[in-house]
Amino acid sequence: MLKLAILAYSSVLFAKVVTSAAIALSLTAPENVSQPVLKSFVSFSIEFSSFPDFAGNLSHPNNFSYNLLKNLGDLQGSNPIIRVGGNTQDYATFNATQKEQLIGTVNANRSRDYPTTISIGPSYFDSYSTWPNISYIHGFNLGKNGSIGHDTLVDTVPLVCKALASPDGKSPKLAAWQLGNEPDLFKTSAQGPVRPSWWNETDYVQEWLNKTRSVIRALVMENCPEVVEQGKFSFYAPSFAGTSNSLNLIKTWDQGIDADHDIGFVDSHNYIGGAEQPGVTLQGTLMNHSSTVASVAKHLNESRILRSQGVTQPYILGETNSLYNQGKPGLSNSFGAALWGVDFNLHCAANNIRRVHMHQGTNYRYASWQPIQTVNESIGTKTPYYGNVAVARFLGNEGGRAENVTVSEIDLSESESGASIYHSAYAAYLDGRLARLAVIQMQAYNYSSPSSPGSSQRPVERFSFQLGNDQTGTAAAVKSITAEQLIANGSDAITGVTFGGYSFNYELDEGRPVMLKNISAAEDVQIQQGGVFLVDVPWSSAVVLNFAY
Ligand SMILES: *[C@@H]1O[C@H](CO)[C@@H](O)[C@H](O)[C@H]1NC(C)=O
Ligand SMILES: *[C@@H]1O[C@H](CO)[C@@H](O)[C@H](O)[C@H]1NC(C)=O
Ligand SMILES: *[C@@H]1O[C@H](CO)[C@@H](O)[C@H](O)[C@H]1NC(C)=O
Ligand SMILES: *[C@@H]1O[C@H](CO)[C@@H](O)[C@H](O)[C@H]1NC(C)=O
Ligand SMILES: *[C@@H]1O[C@H](CO)[C@@H](O)[C@H](O)[C@H]1NC(C)=O
Ligand SMILES: *[C@@H]1O[C@H](CO)[C@@H](O)[C@H](O)[C@H]1NC(C)=O
Ligand SMILES: *[C@@H]1O[C@H](CO)[C@@H](O)[C@H](O)[C@H]1NC(C)=O
Ligand SMILES: *[C@@H]1O[C@H](CO)[C@@H](O)[C@H](O)[C@H]1NC(C)=O
Ligand SMILES: *[C@@H]1O[C@H](CO)[C@@H](O)[C@H](O)[C@H]1NC(C)=O
Ligand SMILES: *[C@@H]1O[C@H](CO)[C@@H](O)[C@H](O)[C@H]1NC(C)=O
Ligand SMILES: *[C@@H]1O[C@H](CO)[C@@H](O)[C@H](O)[C@H]1NC(C)=O
Ligand SMILES: *[C@@H]1O[C@H](CO)[C@@H](O)[C@H](O)[C@H]1NC(C)=O
């Protein structure tokens, strides 16, 4: 399978090079560069009901998942942070005598993709001990009200303490806390409302404060007081589904949600569109920079208003991916979606969304990997993972100095194809100096039915950059540039992706990087006189360039 894919790829002749005028590339960070990204910018959210599949248990740790996480940690200098949550966190109740980690019942009327009746036992929390050196956010149940909800919280807080707290302060396992997933949909959920129509921001905030104070904090003080002493009693909140649902994030701050000063991160969720939404296409919805910009703009607006009100916590996306309802087959699992993922994440980074958790679940169409074999989906690394790799590589491992990496979006309107919605470029600066450049070409190239009639040749967009077009930087300071390509047969490919010539496939070495033959590895880019260099980017591919001084 894999060999065939590679042969097919190498037989494609790239043609029809389109050249562009030189795009100025500053060697020093421009004034409007982003704030530094947070450590673990590339992070994940794993569906609560799927977590045992992804992590395994004490006797059967899921090493494949761990290998994939560690690759990203090695590339970006800090392992991804895992938020365990999603819709199913608000369905899960606790049974102290249950042996199984999780017993779930699927009701296809509510969702085909995950159980909506869930009971977890004490062994559920064993999955927090299978991966070394990974930290977590456990999503507590807010959806269940009344005594069941109360009992679930009371029973599970001590178990989370036991699983994640670090009495000696040396274990990095606890990243943050979370109570409730997308409470802005509680009144309107298509899976059945869990709050009455009158439940507004005031009611939500009162309930959130009451439960975080009188239940969670009280039990933490009793079971793992070091969490508070170590400054780790810090929440991701309010974890709303979006910016225009039945509760408004700004109003929750007005209503005093941070009265206890325990919200460490302003957490919002985002999807570009819905899997079943009419008119959704790969080119129009995902491989479309304008679509990504419009989707992220709602959050930038919200974050700007919060900052103007003196809220200083970082704004992050604690759950996001391409298309809600777990993604659309042929779109969310295609190589085009991997390219979308690179554009989306880098656009976030360039605009002060400081960490992004890509949502995962067993059998989900948009998943970066399938952790176990099921009747619906084979175990394996999926195309979106390669987008995660490119983002982590772009941010770079600077020996834990993520806090000095800033990102800037490059204006491509000077390029020959102008202000196209089908390409984008970003620069990463380390200590204010140009370190890497990413160029993403998003014109769909459908290899299974090439778009240009009568031709199977894949067009290439040529970008011409001019280094050091500013007062301080001189092009001569750059000694060399190397390029690593993110590529597959086309935007419709669902296998055969490589980054810099590496595959991370399950079949090769259980997700560890394997350099493939017959695929171009990192290549040197020639710097011409005057600091001009050319980058040829085939349609439906991306490239990450590294600058050495
Ligand atoms: C930063 O400034 C450049 C050039 O002045 C502009 O093209 C770009 O849109 C700005 N970026 C942001 C995020 O404001
Ligand atoms: C651990 O995982 C293995 C393999 O999936 C499974 O057979 C076993 O029952 C699990 N153990 C527990 C306690 O759930
Ligand atoms: C998983 O990794 C652990 C730690 O490296 C190792 O002890 C164990 O044998 C591995 N399990 C499998 C099934 O490879
Ligand atoms: C844990 O991961 C961090 C990066 O996230 C790394 O710096 C550190 O060396 C790792 N520790 C161990 C024991 O592997
Ligand atoms: C809890 O689990 C035990 C052991 O499986 C089972 O007998 C009992 O019925 C469960 N309780 C509830 C309320 O489901
Ligand atoms: C699902 O909906 C159908 C049609 O409304 C109904 O007959 C069936 O009982 C429902 N199933 C469940 C488990 O609620
Ligand atoms: C609890 O939720 C139910 C809907 O599931 C609702 O009817 C009830 O009013 C809620 N109670 C409170 C106090 O929110
Ligand atoms: C929520 O509803 C109550 C009762 O109607 C009202 O007093 C309060 O102002 C409302 N809160 C908001 C934020 O609108
Ligand atoms: C606050 O929490 C306590 C203890 O769980 C509960 O009895 C009470 O009803 C809650 N009050 C509100 C307003 O939610
Ligand atoms: C690209 O996205 C923008 C913004 O959502 C939209 O207006 C435009 O129609 C999209 N382009 C295509 C070709 O669908
Ligand atoms: C941005 O916020 C303003 C209020 O300050 C609002 O009027 C506008 O509709 C918002 N735009 C978006 C895209 O959410
Ligand atoms: C970050 O950069 C500043 C100057 O740009 C430098 O003083 C500081 O040491 C750097 N921090 C780290 C952790 O490298």
Side-chain angles (χ1 to χ4, degrees), residues 100-113:
E100 294 85 352
Q101 291 192 281
L102 182 143
I103 300 175
T105 309
V106 173
N107 174 350
N109 291 356
R110 297 173 77 192
S111 173
R112 289 176 199 282
D113 291 317

Side-chain angles (χ1 to χ4, degrees), residues 265-285:
F265 304 82
V266 179
D267 174 25
S268 191
H269 296 177
N270 193 75
Y271 290 88
I272 296 290
E276 307 299 334
Q277 205 172 302
V280 163
T281 64
L282 187 56
Q283 179 77 85
T285 313

Side-chain angles (χ1 to χ4, degrees), residues 150 210 214-215:
H150 179 259
N210 190 24
S214 67
V215 186

Side-chain angles (χ1 to χ4, degrees), residues 422-446:
Y422 301 126
H423 61 204
S424 62
Y426 301 87
Y429 293 88
L430 173 66
D431 296 333
R433 187 170 73 169
L434 180 66
R436 277 167 298 276
L437 173 70
V439 184
I440 305 142
Q441 212 304 332
M442 292 184 284
Q443 289 271 6
Y445 178 72
N446 221 337

Side-chain angles (χ1 to χ4, degrees), residues 284 288 290-291 421-422:
N288 173 347
S290 296
S291 164
I421 60 175
Y422 301 126

Side-chain angles (χ1 to χ4, degrees), residues 198 200-203 251 255:
W198 48 260
N200 66 14
E201 289 85 356
T202 312
D203 303 303
K251 286 188 188 166
Q255 294 298 313

